[in-house]
Amino acid sequence: MPYLLGIPIKDFTVIASGDNKTGVIAQDLLDKYPELVHLDADGFYMVDGMNSWKLVKAIQEQQEQIEELKQRIEELEDK
């Protein structure tokens, strides 16, 4: 499975501020994505920003899949 597809995106409320957000919850990432999580000075888990190159790679992988599917469709239409 491509790297980004396993990241669980959720709607949640920040306990400290009461703000509603969409994003990831650090504890949900610990098992599969420990490189994205760290402990802050207060001992709370925090999510680090995603490396933009991982996003570029994900887009490239998705584009490869699109091109493969387009080719398969063209082959089926030619039959």
Side-chain angles (χ1 to χ4, degrees), residues 28-79:
D28 292 346
L29 299 178
L30 283 173
D31 288 336
K32 285 187 166 182
Y33 303 93
E35 71 278 9
L36 298 178
V37 180
H38 71 275
L39 282 174
D40 70 4
D42 296 325
F44 292 102
Y45 285 114
M46 300 296 292
V47 177
D48 296 326
M50 173 81 56
N51 178 329
S52 60
W53 294 115
K54 288 186 185 270
L55 297 173
V56 171
K57 183 177 180 186
I59 292 168
Q60 290 172 338
E61 290 171 352
Q62 188 176 44
Q63 189 62 39
E64 285 177 23
Q65 290 176 338
I66 291 168
E67 295 303 323
E68 289 172 10
L69 291 171
K70 285 171 58 177
Q71 183 178 0
R72 287 177 61 190
I73 290 169
E74 287 175 10
E75 289 171 3
L76 289 171
E77 288 177 340
D78 288 343
K79 289 184 177 182

